[in-house]
Amino acid sequence: MKINTKKILIAAGVFLTVLISGITIYRTYLTPDAIRNLAQKALEARFQKKVVINKFEVDFLNQPRITVGQISMGIEGGYAMQASSMIARFSPWYLLIGRLEIKDVTINNPQFTIDFEKLNLKGPTKKIPTIIIHQGNARLIYKTHAMDVSNIQGFIGRKKVSLDADTLGGTIVISATNTLKTWRGKATAGHINLSQLDSRYQGISGMDVTFSKHEGNYDFSADLAGENLKLPWMKSLRRAKLTLDAEGNERVLILNKVALKSSLIDARGNANVTGIKDPLNAH
């Protein structure tokens, strides 16, 4: 039998090249430490925040994922987060070119802190993956006021949002979808105990809001109702209802319909509000 030495040498050379390349790729990108570094860089790029990882595991067999334990993110941009664990699903093929492409993130038992005066969400939100939240809690801060939110469940994506939570003795549900660059959604709140918001207030309230937003323009309608209300600037009311129908942008708010009905007053009207630039910092 005639042996072709040249072909054997070529085959051996190709085999060695593939083997060396595979070892190089593994040592550079596929070891646990390498993937941990890629994961930290990917999470910091997605959330635009410093991320601290205390525990780390990677699983290639069961829907490739990384599990991060005891994770925390700093307060930069007006919000911070700590969580008992975070699971991020990723595409393994991008690892071959030194990238960790995260598909979605599941956060278990997160604790959020959001300071609305410092909040800045103008970063590259297109890079943020779908975030699924299980049993979350949050503290919302505005100036000297703080409100706690518990039992947060749902998800936040680039095209869809669905969340529900408990706060002030009641419940809040928010849902929205983004179609053709227009956000449309609804928010409801029920059995909100105003005394838990401020000791000077009394009563139970609820609301239904529908809204849409396209680029810098928005419109919304809202129904707010309350029972057994007692506020510092007015007499006690057994029942009251406020209805709003509005539209606007960052410069003007047009109230097409304002209706207030209670045992003391039944009024309707409309109004234009101008000079609005940043409602969070308005005084």
Side-chain angles (χ1 to χ4, degrees), residues 47-189:
F47 291 100
Q48 294 293 297
K49 300 178 75 63
K50 180 68 176 176
V51 175
V52 177
I53 297 174
N54 292 315
K55 297 180 181 179
F56 181 85
E57 295 178 3
V58 61
D59 183 356
F60 284 100
L61 300 178
N62 183 21
Q63 295 184 339
R65 65 182 69 187
I66 56 174
T67 301
V68 178
Q70 301 300 323
I71 185 171
S72 62
M73 300 182 186
I75 194 64
E76 305 93 351
Y79 72 98
M81 186 203 75
Q82 294 180 328
S84 61
S85 68
M86 174 187 288
I87 300 171
R89 295 194 307 129
F90 65 91
S91 173
W93 303 111
Y94 284 94
L95 291 175
L96 300 178
I97 57 174
R99 285 173 52 194
L100 186 67
E101 193 70 18
I102 295 175
K103 295 180 179 179
D104 56 55
V105 172
T106 299
I107 307 175
N108 296 310
N109 307 117
Q111 176 67 53
F112 300 97
T113 302
I114 302 174
D115 188 331
F116 286 99
E117 280 199 291
K118 300 176 182 177
L119 190 61
N120 179 8
L121 298 178
K122 296 181 180 180
T125 55
K126 290 183 178 180
K127 292 185 177 182
I128 296 178
T130 298
I131 301 172
I132 303 165
I133 301 172
H134 290 313
Q135 292 296 322
N137 297 283
R139 166 151 285 203
L140 310 180
I141 302 170
Y142 180 64
K143 295 185 182 298
T144 58
H145 299 282
M147 184 174 75
D148 291 323
V149 182
S150 61
N151 298 324
I152 303 171
Q153 304 276 3
F155 65 90
I156 303 171
R158 291 194 295 267
K159 295 291 185 179
K160 194 171 183 178
V161 174
S162 178
L163 293 170
D164 61 80
D166 299 332
T167 187
L168 303 176
T171 59
I172 295 177
V173 179
I174 300 172
S175 61
T177 56
N178 187 334
T179 305
L180 300 176
K181 297 183 179 181
T182 299
W183 280 98
R184 292 182 175 87
K186 182 176 182 179
T188 62

Side-chain angles (χ1 to χ4, degrees), residues 116-117 119 122 142 250-251 275-283:
F116 286 99
E117 280 199 291
L119 190 61
K122 296 181 180 180
Y142 180 64
E250 65 178 8
R251 297 179 301 275
I276 299 174
K277 290 187 177 181
D278 185 353
L280 293 179
N281 290 320
H283 297 282

